[in-house]
Amino acid sequence: MAESLRFPDMRYVRDFELFLRRFVALDGAGALRLTTKRVHKQLVLGVTGCVLAPHSLLDDTPVILGVRGFKLAAGVEDLDAVYQLRALSERLPRLAEPQLPLPPTETTSVWAGIAPPQTGWRAQGVVSAASLSEVAKTGAQQIANALPENPGELLVQKLREEVWAREILPQVPAGAAFALDTLGFLHGSSDVKLLSANGWLRLEAKGGSVLVRL
């Protein structure tokens, strides 16, 4: 029998499915890293995906990851694997019970080999969730307004680099605001905590966290 993850009920499955849909909209051919661990005896699924990353050595786009945890009722202990995003998302609509069979084949991804710190995070302050949402919407509009009718991929990448690599606070790129907003992490949040550790920045909102490689 294939290894699987069991959610407490179907509401958690639908929430997980919605989260994966947000990543599909960003990068349908991408991958997600799934990890499981016990937190105060509760089994928790950690889901990490890449929102932004450079396409070449000359690209200044920062590596920005989105991370969210989900409560599990049961499942594989100490899981740490990378799966194709579509291999996961395509299974969810067909589920009749809150048990997700994991894909039989793992994959690899460059960003998944970059391990953010697990401990040692130091508080750096807070920033308004509303201001981050405004940065995300303004940036998206700037890109949309600058694109011609039939833009090439290189032009799209260049515009995204210019907009999302721009710092809105010291070491905080606009792309972090884009990631928080696009993944739905700002919903219900008034402030977002800023933390740093060993070359990484963490923006922690009510709905999830975004990690920026400095």
Side-chain angles (χ1 to χ4, degrees), residues 167-184:
E167 285 193 354
I168 55 174
L169 290 170
Q171 297 188 310
V172 181
F178 168 72
L180 285 163
D181 187 66
T182 303
L183 295 177

Side-chain angles (χ1 to χ4, degrees), residues 22-183:
R22 294 181 185 274
F23 269 110
V24 170
L26 286 168
D27 182 6
L32 293 178
R33 183 178 185 180
L34 304 187
T35 60
T36 57
K37 65 178 180 179
R38 291 278 174 184
V39 179
H40 305 302
K41 297 184 179 181
Q42 171 66 56
L43 186 61
V44 176
L45 170 67
V47 183
T48 304
C50 186
V51 179
L52 293 170
H55 288 81
S56 70
L57 294 175
L58 300 178
D59 189 341
D60 291 329
T61 302
V63 173
I64 299 181
L65 310 178
V67 184
R68 187 180 166 190
F70 293 86
K71 184 187 295 185
L72 293 176
V76 184
E77 300 274 352
D78 299 320
L79 173 70
D80 189 348
V82 180
Y83 299 103
Q84 286 290 339
L85 174 54
R86 289 198 178 277
L88 289 166
S89 62
E90 289 174 353
R91 293 165 177 257
L92 291 165
R94 300 194 298 268
L95 294 183
E97 59 177 342
Q99 183 137 335
L100 172 66
L102 293 172
T105 306
E106 296 180 28
T107 187
T108 58
S109 186
V110 173
W111 65 263
I114 306 171
Q118 296 298 310
T119 60
W121 292 95
R122 301 176 299 278
Q124 300 295 330
V126 297
V127 60
S128 160
S131 67
L132 291 170
S133 179
E134 185 62 30
V135 167
K137 289 177 172 57
T138 299
Q141 191 61 54
Q142 288 175 342
I143 293 172
N145 291 342
L147 288 174
E149 187 172 342
N150 295 300
E153 184 62 26
L154 289 177
L155 177 58
V156 174
Q157 291 176 9
K158 182 62 177 176
L159 286 171
R160 287 176 176 170
E161 175 191 349
E162 291 175 355
V163 172
W164 300 131
R166 175 175 53 87
E167 285 193 354
I168 55 174
L169 290 170
Q171 297 188 310
V172 181
F178 168 72
L180 285 163
D181 187 66
T182 303
L183 295 177

